[in-house]
Amino acid sequence: MPILIERILASNQLSLEHVFAIKNKIYTFLNPVSYLTALDHRNVFSQFDGIFADGSVLVSAIRMLYGKSITRRSFDMTSLAPELFSFAEKHKKTIYIVASQQEQVEQAIKIFRQRWPGLDFVGYRNGYFNSEKEMEEEAEKIAGLQPDFLIAGMGVLTQETFLLKIREAGFQGIGFTCGGFIHQTAKNEIDYYPDWADRMNMRFLYRMYKEKHTRKRYLQAALLFPSRFIHERLFG
């Protein structure tokens, strides 16, 4: 079984209660676009405690080629994010966010607090670093604060590398990558996807319509993902 598929299938067995409760764990999410990156960086992604299938296309591909039915889990408001925020508010857990541009992460936190006024954000900053040294200093800072949850949205591979740095620095909480969730929230209040897009599993088409910069990579994935996914199934 290929390592990425093995990790996705194992993660699918975890309840959200387990994910939110067991400390010293880091999780990421793969869709057809990021899966292509993960194939070229298996050594990075294999170090994560959980990998979730983000998107109906990847869920369907796993069902068709591996005969396994799994649940889509994304870090957005149609899936895991509201569950995490509700859990954090109820159990008085602390949250730290590193994502997007500074004004966007600040706006997103204002929006989150409108729906969950009891959330405790112990820190936040943008996801852009001028150097490796600056990233390492931020990792040390977060490890010192030891928030219960860390949310990182910095683009595929960079966000995963950042979470691994934070773990190496001594972070004992629970970390999640979140892709473009923060800037989506900041621009579109909190419910980025309309009900019809979520209900019909057309979230990626809606995002292509809303965010022009995603079109090229989605089209690339449409061409490359099927062939590489099938090749991995046949040859490992």
Side-chain angles (χ1 to χ4, degrees):
M1 183 74 71
I3 183 63
L4 297 177
I5 299 298
E6 179 182 281
R7 197 58 56 82
I8 289 172
L9 294 178
S11 304
N12 186 65
Q13 302 302 313
L14 302 175
S15 68
L16 290 184
E17 290 79 7
H18 176 94
V19 171
F20 297 159
I22 307 301
K23 291 195 170 186
N24 196 20
K25 302 289 184 181
I26 53 174
Y27 300 93
T28 193
F29 304 79
L30 291 180
N31 56 37
V33 177
S34 55
Y35 196 92
L36 296 174
T37 301
L39 284 174
D40 296 327
H41 298 88
R42 292 181 180 90
N43 61 317
V44 172
F45 287 82
S46 63
Q47 296 179 63
F48 276 72
D49 299 291
I51 302 176
F52 299 113
D54 173 6
S56 57
V57 173
L58 182 56
V59 168
S60 297
I62 291 173
R63 183 177 65 250
M64 288 188 290
L65 271 70
Y66 292 90
K68 303 291 185 180
S69 295
I70 61 173
T71 301
R72 166 191 167 264
R73 282 177 175 168
S74 302
F75 203 101
D76 63 23
M77 293 305 298
T78 69
S79 183
L80 190 145
E83 301 287 346
L84 174 64
F85 290 145
S86 294
F87 179 92
E89 182 182 50
K90 178 179 179 181
H91 297 281
K92 302 186 184 308
K93 301 295 185 179
T94 56
I95 301 173
Y96 198 107
I97 297 180
V98 179
S100 197
Q101 298 177 359
Q102 190 66 27
E103 62 271 21
Q104 292 175 332
V105 69
E106 291 174 1
Q107 177 64 15
I109 286 176
K110 289 179 183 178
I111 292 169
F112 296 146
R113 281 175 169 156
Q114 289 173 2
R115 186 170 294 189
W116 295 279
L119 285 180
D120 183 6
F121 293 98
V122 293
Y124 58 86
R125 62 153 287 162
N126 65 76
Y128 296 91
F129 295 93
N130 295 320
S131 65
E132 190 80 7
K133 184 175 183 293
E134 185 184 4
M135 183 182 286
E136 290 173 356
E137 289 173 349
E138 183 67 16
E140 295 283 350
K141 174 184 175 182
I142 294 170
L145 285 172
Q146 288 295 340
D148 295 300
F149 296 113
L150 170 65
I151 301 169
M154 305 154 65
V156 64
L157 194 57
T158 302
Q159 59 192 9
E160 282 79 13
T161 302
F162 182 62
L163 283 187
L164 290 174
K165 280 185 179 296
I166 290 194
R167 168 180 273 181
E168 185 178 345
F171 174 61
Q172 296 293 310
I174 303 167
F176 299 93
T177 64
C178 73
F181 172 61
I182 296 300
H183 85 255
Q184 290 171 358
T185 301
K187 291 195 302 183
N188 299 275
E189 295 188 350
I190 199 164
D191 296 309
Y192 178 77
Y193 296 105
D195 290 341
W196 64 265
D198 185 39
R199 185 173 61 255
M200 299 174 68
N201 287 323
M202 296 179 70
R203 289 171 294 273
F204 73 99
L205 289 176
Y206 181 77
R207 191 175 181 194
M208 288 177 68
Y209 163 72
K210 293 286 288 185
E211 302 179 50
K212 292 181 180 180
H213 71 275
T214 66
R215 295 173 187 174
K216 181 178 179 180
R217 67 172 184 253
Y218 275 127
L219 290 174
Q220 287 176 333
L223 297 174
L224 294 175
F225 173 73
S227 61
R228 294 201 65 185
F229 195 78
I230 292 170
H231 184 275
E232 183 189 39
R233 178 66 177 96
L234 294 176
F235 304 107

